[in-house]
Amino acid sequence: MAINSAKVFGETLETDITNMKVFVGEITEEFIFELMYNPFDEEDKIKWFSIFLMDGDKFVFSSEHYGSEFAAEGLTEDEIEYIRIEVEPSFDGIFV
């Protein structure tokens, strides 16, 4: 299911990684909608093992290990505070 949904938004990137598919593509409104409003599989788990958002060669955001960790760069203090308020207090996978 996750692979089929990723195929809609990107092209397969050939890598030497076994047992994993890597896709690359543009961040579109449809892609953002998928991430925001349809992120879970039939077991209510995040569909994708890892998501990396890049601006050219610059890292912007990642969600890894099925959403148990995420990291972001270039955030303002207000954005960091907003994330800390919105995220479940017991979640300890934030890296900024």
Side-chain angles (χ1 to χ4, degrees), residues 14 16 21 26 37 46 50 52 57 72 74 84 86 93-94:
E14 296 299 322
D16 294 333
K21 293 280 187 186
E26 295 294 317
Y37 299 105
I46 292 180
S50 296
F52 296 93
D57 291 336
R84 287 193 172 125
E86 291 297 317
I94 301 173

Side-chain angles (χ1 to χ4, degrees), residues 1 4-6 8 11 28 33 37 40-42 50 66 71 74 76 78 80 83 88:
M1 179 175 189
N4 289 335
S5 69
V8 173
E11 299 176 11
T28 63
F33 185 89
Y37 299 105
F40 303 108
D41 64 15
E42 57 278 349
S50 296
Y66 295 107
T76 67
D78 288 341
I80 293 169
I83 291 168
E88 175 69 33

Side-chain angles (χ1 to χ4, degrees), residues 12-17 22:
T12 304
L13 181 66
E14 296 299 322
T15 69
D16 294 333
I17 303 169
V22 177

